[in-house]
Amino acid sequence: MEKSMQTVEVKSMFINGEWTQSQGGGTLRVVNPATGEEVGTVSYGDGKDARAAIEAAHQAFPGWSRLTARERSKYLYQLYELVRSHRDELAGIISAEMGKPLREAKGEVLGAADNFMWYAEEAKRVYGETVPSSVPNKRIMVSRQPVGVVGAITPWNFPVNMVARKIAPALAAGCTVVLKPAESTPLSAIRLFELIAQAGFPAGVANLVIGQPEAVGQELLDNPKVRKIAFTGSTRVGKLLMEGAAKHVKRVSLELGGHAPFIVFEDADLDAAVAGLFESKFRNSGQMCICTNRLYVHESVAEAFSAKLVERLSKAKVGDGRSKETEIGPLVNQRALDKVLRHIQDAQDKGGQVVFGGKRLAEGEYGKGFYCEPTLITDVTKEMEIAFEETFGPVVPMMTFTDEAAVIEMANDTPYGLAAYVYTRDNSRCFRLAEALDYGIVGINDGSPAQTQAPFGGWKESGLGLEGGRYGMDAFLETKFVSFGM
Ligand code: ADP
């Protein structure tokens, strides 16, 4: 296990190229969810700090947006190199402040680096178009320009990569940024911004404000200098931001909650399906918006599948994320643990059978953290909270089915539409399911579909707009039509 760290970062806002503290002098303690130990104290601000950061971003915008794409690209490449070479350090910070196993945290950091590299490249490919005119004395030109100052709000579950996925395309497009990271994970954002400073980005291009969510959020919404809100988090807050953005018709990109179905057909490779489910359900302790929330297994293979799953769960190593053996870390805080335990209890009260796990882990060292046993519940019905509300924890609720059309209907019967998973060896069925599922991301025989270059975004109440690949650039660009009279 790596040594525990304790940092005091009172000057933790990065505004206009300077490290400063909150104007009101507030501070926030950051706690390791594996041990309850404090890992740092940071400045904690409010709307006033956000206003200063927005002003800096506004001042920096003309210079940054007028640089050639090639010049902006150089800074992003530099940042890519820095993030990659600081992989282990960043991973240690992520793990210490939100509990993620180190192996996963390292993967996250490499994912973030990959985003900086991808958008260093994509910056150079913001193409326009000429369109044939219907009259001889006019020419139509279509070009793309950066939307302006971006307010980015990110969650704690991927404290480095969620930031990268927003600021990399924003900066590549020529936007300037004010980032508000989640309260639980400011240290990862601070370290990333130190690397941004080291990469030499001009002052004001990227600003960091750690502060009270409602106050900072309100300033980002109310201040007309912000032209775009890019958010990842709960559907509840996403809706609030969308409502607030209406006042100035700000552009919004929203990556919100999900309730992913995972469907195992009778012809599936059950070992591959168990491995895919483990990946999609237990990575980050089940705290991902694309995590499986409902498992549907064909009745004829349900027993065999659950036996294999129980075998896998019984081998899963739960523990402090900083330990090398850990596969499943703690939940992020008491509130998250309480919700998971409430869902388990509710399922049991309504007839669900806990066939593995089901309890808080509280013995010995576990007692200091927010640990829940990896859990499998069978006999789940759609009346149970777990069958329609996002659990965000290491619990698999299992249902059975016999008919393809019926399972598609059940899978789509939710206001969410982020990710869905299907395991089958029937090629025709692969295509039928890929087309019939009302989800933005469908993993066919793939429990871990996200990649930098692919579009990532939800349908229905799971979001608006896309991150990833060339699609991710669109969120930060406006389209301009210029008509030349001759
Ligand atoms: P979670 O429940 O997973 O923490 P949230 O949607 O509450 O999800 O949080 C995601 C991000 O949104 C965090 O950075 C959080 O501080 C921020 N946030 C929460 N409430 C608001 C709000 N009213 N306005 C702006 N940002 C908010």
Side-chain angles (χ1 to χ4, degrees), residues 213-227:
E214 287 80 9
V216 174
Q218 204 58 49
E219 181 62 27
L220 292 173
L221 291 171
D222 289 347
N223 194 319
K225 288 175 179 162
V226 176
R227 289 309 316 155

Side-chain angles (χ1 to χ4, degrees), residues 153-156 180-183 213-214 217 231-234 237 240-241:
I153 302 176
T154 50
W156 49 265
K180 191 209 86 61
E183 305 83 279
E214 287 80 9
F231 171 75
T232 298
S234 61
V237 174
L240 286 175
L241 293 172

Side-chain angles (χ1 to χ4, degrees), residues 56-271:
H58 178 69
Q59 296 295 335
F61 179 71
W64 181 248
S65 59
R66 282 189 210 125
L67 286 183
T68 63
R70 208 167 263 277
E71 284 173 296
R72 284 199 298 274
S73 181
K74 280 189 209 153
Y75 291 102
L76 287 161
Y77 266 119
Q78 183 67 18
L79 186 53
Y80 154 70
E81 295 288 357
L82 285 167
V83 171
R84 223 167 64 105
S85 60
H86 289 80
R87 181 194 73 166
D88 292 356
E89 187 198 350
L90 280 163
I93 298 172
I94 293 173
S95 191
E97 65 180 348
M98 56 73 69
K100 178 177 297 194
L102 268 179
R103 187 179 47 81
E104 287 182 27
K106 287 178 188 173
E108 176 185 342
V109 176
L110 292 183
D114 202 40
N115 271 289
F116 289 117
M117 181 172 70
W118 186 270
Y119 288 104
E121 293 161 348
E122 211 59 36
K124 295 179 264 180
R125 292 177 198 130
V126 179
Y127 301 127
E129 199 173 30
T130 58
V131 180
S133 163
S134 50
V135 288
N137 60 341
K138 288 192 182 191
R139 296 292 179 269
I140 296 171
M141 183 181 92
V142 181
S143 64
R144 319 228 41 214
Q145 285 179 223
V147 58
V149 174
V150 173
I153 302 176
T154 50
W156 49 265
N157 60 348
F158 288 85
V160 171
N161 201 17
M162 288 292 163
V163 177
R165 276 163 45 147
K166 289 173 181 53
I167 70 172
L171 297 175
C175 296
T176 54
V177 178
V178 175
L179 171 75
K180 191 209 86 61
E183 305 83 279
S184 327
T185 53
L187 299 174
S188 308
I190 291 170
R191 191 67 190 107
L192 180 61
F193 268 70
E194 284 171 353
L195 300 180
I196 289 176
Q198 203 177 325
F201 284 84
V205 166
N207 304 275
L208 171 67
V209 174
I210 295 158
Q212 211 268 330
E214 287 80 9
V216 174
Q218 204 58 49
E219 181 62 27
L220 292 173
L221 291 171
D222 289 347
N223 194 319
K225 288 175 179 162
V226 176
R227 289 309 316 155
K228 162 94 195 184
I229 304 286
F231 171 75
T232 298
S234 61
T235 296
R236 180 187 72 81
V237 174
K239 287 179 181 178
L240 286 175
L241 293 172
M242 197 171 172
E243 243 179 271
K247 187 167 150 200
H248 297 292
V249 195
K250 290 186 183 181
R251 278 66 181 133
V252 288
S253 294
L254 305 171
E255 296 292 347
L256 309 178
H259 206 277
F262 190 109
I263 308 171
V264 182
F265 282 94
E266 64 277 25
D267 60 359
D269 174 339
L270 295 189
D271 292 320

